[in-house]
Amino acid sequence: MTNVSLVTTFILMGIPHAPALDTPLFGIFLVIYVLTVVGNLLILLVISVDSHLHTPMYYFLTNLSFIDMWFSTVTVPKMLMTLVSPGGKAISFHSCMAQLYAFHFLGSTECFLYTVMSYDRYLAISYPLRYTSMMSGRRCALLATTTWLTGSVHSAFQTMLTFRLPYCGSNQIQHYFCDAPPILKLACADTSANEIVVFVNIGVVTSGCFFLIVLSYVSIICSILKIRTSEGRHRAFQTCASHCVVVLCFFGPGAFIYLRPGSKDAVDGVVAVFYTVLTPLLNPVVYTLRNKEVKKALLKVKNESVFLRSK
């Protein structure tokens, strides 16, 4: 196989929908994207300026917000272009490669980060007295760095295997962004080995992370049930509830797309919206509306800004 491809430009066919819905969908996704970016930027700002939030949990949350902001940016702007302009559907071969790499880099890093966050919650609830020493600043930085490096290697491997194949036939990608399964359908070569690698490299790794998260939360629930006061149990459950919600919204659609046999383009495109568009928005909403400390910090930042404007 050579790296030379006769296809120099791909065409992203977008989300299956009636042409009359172009404008309404553009408006909806634009609002979601703006809210996603603003919401995650707000979390980054609040955590950085409030010293009370300089803890391991919020350290990992800043990583998550940063990832979500760019994870949405990798796919949504191009999707908006496909809705308003026929020329916006075109994407060069190398841009498609870059988009696939960025998508899987951020997606796999987020997957590993959720696993680390569940481990952090396990230590915080199961070993409250030793938590500070067990989850030191150095260990937090090491865990976060490992997720980023592992995600980078994971994505590079996936991108290399996908684009080493020759593409010389149809250039229409039945999706709204460059992802491995719809791209492999356009290759002018046998892709069975690549499909197995996609299943193992994405599906099994993701399933492994999800299994570790479930294992962490089984241990967490056992620890919570040992707490004597109902108020303590409620507080512990509330701390973990936000993480559980976003984990299910992220892993559920991903497992549906990458782990089931066969693939239906229309269904995959619609399901992918959940974890590429909605989950990055859900994170700031869930973590701010369900978290008293973050809401208190937001109110503090708001009051300070009002005070500075009144001076």
Side-chain angles (χ1 to χ4, degrees), residues 13-90:
M13 301 309 293
I15 302 173
H17 66 280
L21 295 177
D22 280 350
T23 302
L25 286 176
F26 176 84
I28 291 171
F29 288 126
L30 178 61
V31 170
I32 291 175
Y33 175 66
V34 171
L35 290 176
T36 298
V37 173
V38 172
N40 283 293
L41 279 174
L42 195 58
I43 286 182
L44 291 173
L45 173 65
V46 168
I47 293 176
S48 64
V49 300
D50 195 318
S51 59
H52 295 96
L53 300 181
H54 293 175
T55 62
M57 183 177 79
Y58 294 106
Y59 174 77
F60 294 127
L61 182 55
T62 57
N63 279 266
L64 181 62
S65 292
F66 185 80
I67 289 173
D68 278 334
M69 185 172 60
W70 289 106
F71 190 55
S72 181
T73 300
V74 165
T75 58
V76 178
K78 186 61 181 177
M79 178 177 65
L80 294 175
M81 292 174 64
T82 66
L83 290 171
V84 295
S85 170
K89 295 183 177 182

Side-chain angles (χ1 to χ4, degrees), residues 30-284:
L30 178 61
V31 170
I32 291 175
Y33 175 66
V34 171
L35 290 176
T36 298
V37 173
V38 172
N40 283 293
L41 279 174
L42 195 58
I43 286 182
L44 291 173
L45 173 65
V46 168
I47 293 176
S48 64
V49 300
D50 195 318
S51 59
H52 295 96
L53 300 181
H54 293 175
T55 62
M57 183 177 79
Y58 294 106
Y59 174 77
F60 294 127
L61 182 55
T62 57
N63 279 266
L64 181 62
S65 292
F66 185 80
I67 289 173
D68 278 334
M69 185 172 60
W70 289 106
F71 190 55
S72 181
T73 300
V74 165
T75 58
V76 178
K78 186 61 181 177
M79 178 177 65
L80 294 175
M81 292 174 64
T82 66
L83 290 171
V84 295
S85 170
K89 295 183 177 182
I91 184 170
S92 70
F93 185 88
H94 292 99
S95 294
C96 187
M97 186 188 302
Q99 188 183 49
L100 187 143
Y101 173 79
F103 173 76
H104 283 282
F105 169 42
L106 295 169
S108 56
T109 301
E110 183 162 347
C111 173
F112 298 134
L113 185 61
Y114 281 133
T115 310
V116 169
M117 290 174 74
S118 68
Y119 173 66
D120 171 66
R121 291 300 85 207
Y122 163 71
L123 292 181
I125 292 174
S126 301
Y127 305 97
L129 299 179
R130 296 165 53 196
Y131 173 67
T132 304
S133 61
M134 295 175 73
M135 191 59 75
S136 62
R138 182 177 180 181
R139 176 167 291 186
C140 288
L142 179 62
L143 287 171
T145 302
T146 302
T147 63
W148 285 93
L149 290 176
T150 308
S152 177
V153 173
H154 179 271
S155 180
F157 183 65
Q158 185 62 55
T159 305
M160 179 186 68
L161 287 177
T162 301
F163 286 98
R164 66 184 288 273
L165 296 172
Y167 294 90
C168 52
S170 172
N171 68 339
Q172 295 186 349
I173 299 175
Q174 300 297 325
H175 214 319
Y176 61 89
F177 67 93
C178 293
D179 197 10
I183 292 175
L184 289 176
K185 292 181 179 181
L186 307 181
C188 302
D190 180 26
T191 62
S192 56
N194 289 73
E195 290 169 2
I196 293 173
V197 170
V198 168
F199 177 82
V200 174
N201 191 37
I202 299 176
V204 174
V205 169
T206 303
S207 299
C209 289
F210 186 72
F211 173 75
L212 291 174
I213 292 172
V214 171
L215 195 64
S216 295
Y217 274 94
V218 169
S219 301
I220 288 171
I221 291 172
C222 291
S223 297
I224 290 175
L225 294 176
K226 294 178 183 178
I227 299 176
R228 295 181 180 180
T229 64
S230 59
E231 182 183 351
R233 288 195 298 270
H234 176 72
R235 192 186 311 159
F237 271 120
Q238 192 173 39
T239 301
C240 300
S242 302
H243 187 208
C244 289
V245 170
V246 292
V247 163
L248 290 174
C249 290
F250 180 81
F251 281 91
F256 177 84
I257 291 175
Y258 296 109
L259 289 183
R260 84 189 198 280
S263 176
K264 295 183 179 180
D265 298 322
V267 177
D268 285 356
V270 174
V271 172
V273 170
F274 283 92
Y275 70 95
T276 61
V277 180
L278 298 181
T279 300
L281 172 65
L282 188 64
N283 282 338

